[in-house]
Amino acid sequence: MGELHTPANIPFVILGTGMLWFGWFGFNAGSALSASGQAAMAFAATNTASASAALAWIFFDGMRGNKPSALGACVGAVVGLVAITPAAGYVSIGESILIGTCASVISNLCVHWKNKASTLDDTLDVFPCHGVGGMVGMLMTGLFAKDVGLTSGHARTFLVHCGALIFVAVFSFVGSWVLYRLTDLIIPLRVSSEQEEIGLDLSQHGEVMQGRDPYTPAAQASLAKTA
């Protein structure tokens, strides 16, 4: 827990991000259920938010002394897609850029904090990126939603989003904790430290990623103990 995990194949990460980005157009623009102006706005806002989030991630990395990377751009793009989803079709292009940028920077900071100051076992940074990015997008929708947002002089939408955010966060946390505990009673969800040390591919499935030797003495000794 808390160790740095590196991706196995950067080109596949980029390919997956591109496919997700393309599919997200159907997710957001398709929600209009028509070929309308609102669908076109949702399509455009989705693209600009994701692009701005990708750029914001790598620029913010550079400002913090890290190297801008393709992986960072891909993570930022996904954060932008998540953040703009509740607002797509209801905000302007400029506001979508702001939403993507803000969500990207905040998620970047959360990832840095999670890796540095906690032992949360979240290899893919799902909560700092998808969770926090979605929260930022939800709140900023309440800020900028056309004609009903806080910037239009209406507080109701923003307050409703705040209340929904609190309710969903509590419901998701408590529900997940209960399900985890019930499942753990039936099938233990945490492997032993020895199995985790040699890797779950080898200890749980007897196979490894290409390029790693599964037949080292340490690995065989661990397997013999956990068999």
Side-chain angles (χ1 to χ4, degrees):
M1 291 187 295
E3 64 180 287
L4 181 64
H5 295 272
T6 56
N9 193 315
I10 293 294
F12 279 6
V13 174
I14 298 173
L15 177 62
T17 302
M19 295 172 67
L20 189 67
W21 195 331
F22 180 76
W24 220 283
F25 291 140
F27 184 37
N28 283 357
S31 295
L33 301 179
S34 64
S36 60
Q38 188 175 33
M41 180 58 71
F43 185 103
T46 299
N47 191 61
T48 51
S50 185
S52 65
L55 292 174
W57 191 286
I58 60 175
F59 286 147
F60 191 66
D61 272 348
M63 290 172 59
R64 294 180 57 248
N66 298 326
K67 293 182 178 179
S69 64
L71 178 63
C74 290
V75 174
V78 174
V79 171
L81 292 172
V82 172
I84 194 60
T85 295
Y90 300 100
V91 297
S92 67
I93 298 300
E95 290 164 347
S96 73
I97 294 174
L98 180 61
I99 291 172
T101 300
C102 290
S104 182
V105 171
I106 293 172
S107 291
N108 189 305
L109 289 171
C110 289
V111 169
H112 175 71
W113 175 84
K114 192 269 294 183
N115 292 334
K116 184 178 180 181
S118 78
T119 56
L120 293 174
D121 195 3
D122 186 2
T123 304
L124 299 179
D125 295 325
V126 173
F127 181 74
C129 293
H130 288 255
V132 174
M135 292 177 186
V136 173
M138 188 174 183
L139 293 177
M140 295 190 76
T141 301
L143 282 175
F144 298 118
K146 184 180 179 183
D147 297 330
V148 294
L150 197 60
T151 56
S152 300
H154 301 278
R156 184 177 182 278
T157 300
F158 180 74
L159 294 175
V160 168
H161 280 217
C162 289
L165 177 58
I166 294 171
F167 173 80
V168 171
V170 172
F171 176 82
S172 299
F173 179 84
V174 174
S176 297
W177 185 85
V178 171
L179 290 173
Y180 169 81
R181 289 298 181 186
L182 289 176
T183 305
D184 197 48
L185 290 174
I186 302 170
I187 305 174
L189 296 178
R190 188 81 197 186
V191 299
S192 67
S193 57
E194 291 86 0
Q195 291 173 324
E196 190 169 7
E197 180 67 26
I198 65 174
L200 300 187
D201 285 347
L202 181 58
S203 66
Q204 303 302 302
H205 307 292
E207 58 188 12
V208 294
M209 183 180 68
Q210 181 180 359
R212 181 176 174 180
D213 182 10
Y215 303 109
T216 61
Q220 290 303 307
S222 295
L223 277 176
K225 281 196 231 175
T226 57

